Every structure is written in structure tokens, then in C-alpha cells.
Amino acid sequence: MHASAVGWEPELAELRERQRLARELGGTERVARQHAGGRLTVRERIDRLLDHGSFREIGSIAGKATYDAHGNIVAFTPANCVFGRGTIDNRPVVVAGDDFTLRGGSADASIKGKPKMSEEIATQFRMPLIRLIEGSGGGGSVKTIETTGRANLPGGLTETTSFDLVANQMSQVPVVGLGLGSVAGLGAARLVAAHYSVMVKEIAAVFVAGPPVVERLGEPRTKQELGGWQIQLQCGAVDHAVDTEDEAFEATRRFLSYLPGSIHDLPPRVRGWDNPNRRDEALISVIPKSKKQAYHMRRIIGALVDKDSFFEMGALFGRSIITGFARLDGWPVAVMAGDPLFDGGAWTADACSKIVRFVDMAQTFHLPVVHLVDCPGFQVGLKAESTAVIRWGVRALAAINQTTVPWCSIVVRNCYGVGGLGHQPVGHLCLRYAWPSASWGSLPLEGGIEAAYRAEIDAAEDPDAKLAEIEERLNRLRSPLRTAEAFWVDEVIDPRDTRRLLCDFANLAAPLRTPGPSAFGMRP
């Protein structure tokens, strides 16, 4: 009786001992080194990111064990990927993290099935995926050649890599990548193959290859000089940077709050206390009378959306366009807005690249788009031509016109030229309002008058006076009210009524949102 009561307890005791060994990660010394560098361990990160007590680990005792002559375990090195399921704000997610205390997060200490399964579970069970990245996460270090006796051919066999899963996730479920230390090679690729990526400023650096490699090529650089947050945010490789790991986890929670669990669901509504009929009196004078004077578009966004709901992404890249999520009467929407503080709001090649990625994300996850328009057209000049602005601009126009989600445009000021075509899609009905400050045309009058009326101006006794006369005449004709006579714009509105109309739009758009895959898949 006593023997049967014992049952499988010895085996369970061994399981618990193996799990205890796995939780020691790379050992006391390496964990202390991780903390000394100002970084949390992978398990600490998971505990702080997820709802308390919600983590359900998968592969908890995967690793490499050594045994004595009697088959007893004498040493155990866990795999350096920790992953499983959990919840964030009571919504299920998958989280996978690199353990830098084991071979610096490289694949030498990994079991490829673990990160691969994290990607598969997220897709199969339709849950957002968060990657906690620190290390190379690729084919291992140079030492791999010695430990395996051969060199790896990248992607040599289909089962040796899961990058197809990494790339395909972006058209299936929300993906967040957090750079939480040195991130190189395939680790860097996994970081940016996400809808939202974040670096921790003083501890993270992201690069294709680290300083030792580039120094051998004749370019000595520190980690921060080569791949610090300022480099990666300004070039658009990474979306955001924060001061602490806890701030990165909070940014992750906020980002996911605007999105569905997968493309097979719809973004959730979160009702707040903000009145949809609220009128901000400052909006009546926020746009300067002088077209040469800039203004702060973010103040306008803050006045129109639900209070404190604007979540900006990519703030330091493509700065003539502002992109982010917000709520209108509780409904999540994608917001795009021109920023005249940078390049006068003209669409640069970088801004167009940013637009493509953003509207593709809105289309993928069924978010209606609100566009606050102030675009004098594509950037012009040698710098613009040297960056292929017209090609990137056409890609942005194509991406906008491929969207099928509901769309509402508010023409705040400028809407000119080929770039102005991108103020909304032309393939389906969209709502479009204009403020009295709106101004549009094939070309801005400034500069265009001199070209169109060159002969008349040159023949005048006073060319400057003639130019001023022509400009005054044309300005009277370009009033948005004249365009509204021909019903080329839905309504010219009082700026103070904008929030009410946008909240109306969000409520109209809500039942039109359709779950399921888009006609095209989003790429990294």
C-alpha cells in the first residue's frame, strides 16, 4: 500500500529538480553579470511583462544534460530560449525571450524548436507575439564551426530556420519586438520583423554585425555609435526607444490595446470619459493666416482624439508625417497627419516609406484611418530626387489606394500635387472634410505663378506689382468654399466641430470593419 502511494513521485521529483536547474539560467555568476549590466534576466522580463501569475511555460526542461555511469543527471544547461503563453490585460499572448546568460543568446545554446514553436502557436491559436530579444538568435557564433565540425549554410534546409514564420507573422497576428541588450544578425532581423519595435536606450544596440566585425573591415565603432537607439530610430529600423525595460513593457501593453488578437478578430472598443461632442475653442485659430508659418500638428491631434489616447509610432523617422493609434468615442483608429515643422509637411522618401508600412498595418488589422492633411506635395530638389522620392511616393499612393478600410480625411491646410492625391483612397467612398484654412491645387501658387505667368510678369512695368496682383486674384479663386460649390469636398466645417464629426465617423465605420485576411500580406 505504501509503495503504491508513492506512485510516480520520484519521477515528479526529478521533473521539479530539472525545472529548478533550468530556472538558474546560466548560473549565479552570469546572472549577476546580467544585473551588473543594468539588464533583467529573461524570466524577470517575462514576469514583469505579463499579468501576474499568468505565464504558462512550454519546454521548461529543454536543454542539454550530462549523466553519470548510472544514468543520474550531474549537470544541466537549459536552452537559451524561454517561451510560453500568458495574458496582458487579461488577453492571451505568446512571449518568447532570449537568455543572454547562456552563450550570449546565440543559437549555440538554443534548441531551434522552441523559438519556432512560439511563432507557430501565435499563428495557430491567433494570439499576439512578443519577442524579448538579446543576442544574435541566429546560426550561432564563430565557435559553432568547431562545436559542430562544419560551417552552416544559411537556411540550408527548410527545417533549420523559422524565418519564413517570422516574416509571415506580420500578416497574421500583432508582433512586438523588444531590443533589450546587444542584438545582432538574425536577432536584429527578428526585432524589426515586427509591427512595433522598441529599444532600451542605454542598454540596447542593434546591428547586422557588431563592433568586432566592422572593426576588421576598417571601421572602429562603439556599440552605441554603430547601432544605438538614435541611429536606429532616425533611419526607421526601430520605432521607439525608452529609458527602462519596464517602460518597454508598458509601451507593449499600450500598443496591443489598440489591436485585435489576430486578423480574425476586430480591435476592441475602450470607452472613456471624454465627451464625443467636446469642442476645443483653440482650434478656430490654431492654423496661422500666413502660409509660411508652421504650427504644432500634435496639439491638433490631442484636441481631436479621446483624451490621452494618441499613441505615436516612428516619431523620429519620416518626420513630415505623424503616425499612430488613437481612440474616437472609444473606437481604435489609425491616425496619419502632416507635420509642417519638418520639410513643410512635404512627403520625403522616408515619409513615404513610413506611410506604406503604417497604412498596411491599418489594413491588416481592420483599423479605420483618419488623415489630417497638410501636404504641399512630394519633396522637391536634388536631395529629394537623389532619394528616389517619386518611386517611394508612388508606392505610398498605391498602398493608400489598396486599402479597403473606412477612411476619413480632414484637409487642414495644404493638399497639392501628386502627393496630394494621397489624402485618401480613390477606389471606395471615403469621408472628406475641409477647414476654412484648406488650400489645394495641382501646384502651390508660391513658385507656380512665376512659371505660369512668366511672360505677363516680364512684360509689366513693375514685375513685382504684377506678381502681387496675379497672386491676389488667384487667392480669391482658391477658397475652399469655391471648391465646395462644385461638391469636390463633402463639407467645409468649423474646426471646432471636427471631433464630433470624427467620432461620428468612428461609429459609422465600426460595423464595416471585417475580420479576416487582407487581399495582400504585410511584409516586414
Side-chain angles (χ1 to χ4, degrees):
M1 184 72 177
H2 177 70
S4 65
V6 172
W8 295 97
E9 183 55 38
E11 287 80 6
L12 292 175
E14 182 180 349
L15 171 62
R16 289 192 293 269
E17 175 61 14
R18 287 173 178 258
Q19 289 173 330
R20 184 192 68 79
L21 292 171
R23 286 194 293 271
E24 291 182 353
L25 305 177
T28 303
E29 183 179 331
R30 289 178 180 173
V31 168
R33 191 184 309 163
Q34 182 84 354
H35 288 157
R39 305 187 306 278
L40 300 171
T41 66
V42 63
R43 292 186 179 277
E44 290 168 339
R45 288 165 176 163
I46 291 172
D47 287 345
R48 294 200 190 191
L49 170 68
L50 299 179
D51 296 341
H52 180 69
S54 70
F55 184 50
R56 300 293 179 265
E57 187 173 355
I58 300 171
S60 64
I61 61 170
K64 183 177 181 181
T66 55
Y67 300 89
D68 62 19
H70 303 289
N72 298 312
I73 187 169
V74 294
F76 180 73
T77 301
N80 68 351
C81 170
V82 178
F83 90 100
R85 295 175 289 108
T87 62
I88 289 179
D89 296 332
N90 296 315
R91 297 173 66 195
V93 299
V94 175
V95 60
D98 300 331
D99 180 6
F100 196 76
T101 69
L102 288 162
R103 291 303 304 271
S106 77
D108 294 64
S110 180
I111 293 177
K112 297 184 188 303
K114 293 190 76 176
K116 183 177 181 181
M117 182 177 279
S118 71
E119 305 282 337
E120 292 173 326
I121 289 177
T123 301
Q124 183 70 30
F125 293 98
R126 302 177 178 180
M127 292 184 283
L129 173 65
I130 302 115
R131 305 187 188 113
L132 309 177
I133 304 174
E134 183 179 11
S136 68
S141 67
V142 172
K143 287 186 177 180
T144 308
I145 298 174
E146 206 162 39
T147 58
T148 64
R150 64 183 182 276
N152 290 339
L153 174 62
L157 293 175
T158 55
E159 67 266 20
T160 65
T161 179
S162 59
F163 193 75
D164 59 330
L165 297 171
V166 171
N168 291 338
Q169 291 291 28
M170 296 195 66
S171 62
Q172 298 292 322
V173 297
V175 180
V176 177
L178 303 184
L180 304 174
S182 294
V183 178
L186 186 56
R190 291 171 59 236
L191 174 65
V192 303
H195 300 100
Y196 183 57
S197 53
V198 184
M199 295 174 65
V200 180
K201 291 181 180 178
E202 298 306 318
I203 68 172
V206 178
F207 21 65
V208 175
V213 176
V214 300
E215 185 170 357
R216 286 291 298 271
L217 299 176
E219 188 181 344
R221 300 282 184 186
T222 67
K223 286 183 178 181
Q224 290 301 315
E225 287 173 342
L226 183 62
W229 68 273
Q230 291 170 312
I231 300 292
Q232 300 297 3
L233 266 64
Q234 289 172 9
C235 74
V238 175
D239 296 308
H240 189 45
V242 294
D243 293 321
T244 67
E245 294 192 53
D246 283 327
E247 289 179 82
F249 305 148
E250 177 57 29
T252 299
R253 287 188 281 267
R254 278 204 70 193
F255 173 79
L256 293 176
S257 72
Y258 294 91
L259 295 176
S262 77
I263 60 171
H264 302 285
D265 202 353
L266 295 174
R269 185 184 195 185
V270 179
R271 296 293 294 272
W273 53 267
D274 202 0
N275 184 354
N277 296 315
R278 172 174 54 79
R279 298 176 95 241
D280 192 324
E281 291 299 320
L283 292 175
I284 194 65
S285 57
V286 71
I287 304 298
K289 288 281 188 176
S290 170
K291 290 179 66 65
K292 294 181 179 179
Q293 187 176 347
Y295 59 90
H296 293 279
M297 177 61 86
R298 286 175 180 80
R299 294 178 184 172
I300 295 176
I301 296 172
L304 297 179
V305 303
D306 293 357
K307 285 290 187 184
D308 302 320
S309 73
F310 184 55
F311 182 82
E312 185 170 359
M313 289 173 282
L316 297 186
F317 174 66
R319 302 188 73 174
S320 58
I321 199 77
I322 298 168
T323 56
F325 298 150
R327 291 189 178 88
L328 291 167
D329 198 19
W331 296 109
V333 296
V335 176
M336 194 166 79
D339 190 348
L341 294 177
F342 297 92
D343 296 295
W347 286 8
T348 63
D350 282 352
C352 292
S353 174
K354 182 177 177 178
I355 289 166
V356 170
R357 184 165 176 260
F358 186 69
V359 299
D360 281 357
M361 195 187 317
Q363 176 69 20
T364 298
F365 294 114
H366 327 301
L367 287 165
V369 177
V370 170
H371 187 188
L372 304 178
V373 183
D374 189 351
C375 175
F378 295 145
Q379 184 188 37
V380 299
L382 179 59
K383 179 183 176 182
E385 304 300 346
S386 301
T387 57
V389 69
I390 191 63
R391 177 174 293 281
W392 282 103
V394 169
R395 290 192 69 180
L397 296 180
I400 289 168
N401 282 289
Q402 283 178 319
T403 61
T404 58
V405 294
W407 193 291
C408 181
S409 298
I410 309 290
V411 185
V412 173
R413 187 153 74 173
N414 294 314
C415 185
Y416 283 96
V418 181
L421 290 173
H423 73 278
Q424 63 178 182
V426 296
H428 67 276
L429 177 66
C430 303
L431 300 185
R432 177 172 51 191
Y433 301 106
W435 284 8
S437 51
S439 176
W440 42 59
S442 299
L443 283 171
L445 295 186
E446 296 75 17
I449 295 176
E450 289 90 330
Y453 293 86
R454 172 54 56 196
E456 186 176 344
I457 293 170
D458 289 346
E461 290 185 11
D462 186 344
D464 290 340
K466 175 56 71 172
L467 175 62
E469 174 195 321
I470 296 171
E471 186 171 329
E472 182 182 358
R473 185 173 76 235
L474 295 180
N475 272 327
R476 288 195 298 269
L477 295 174
R478 72 174 181 181
S479 162
L481 302 176
R482 294 263 189 153
T483 304
E485 289 179 14
F487 196 47
W488 274 27
V489 64
D490 300 22
E491 285 286 346
V492 178
I493 63 171
D494 185 328
R496 294 167 294 189
D497 292 332
T498 308
R499 171 168 166 77
R500 174 179 59 79
L501 292 169
L502 287 178
C503 288
D504 285 347
F505 161 72
N507 281 284
L508 286 171
L512 302 183
R513 303 172 307 160
T514 305
S518 179
F520 53 90
M522 184 174 177
R523 297 183 183 185

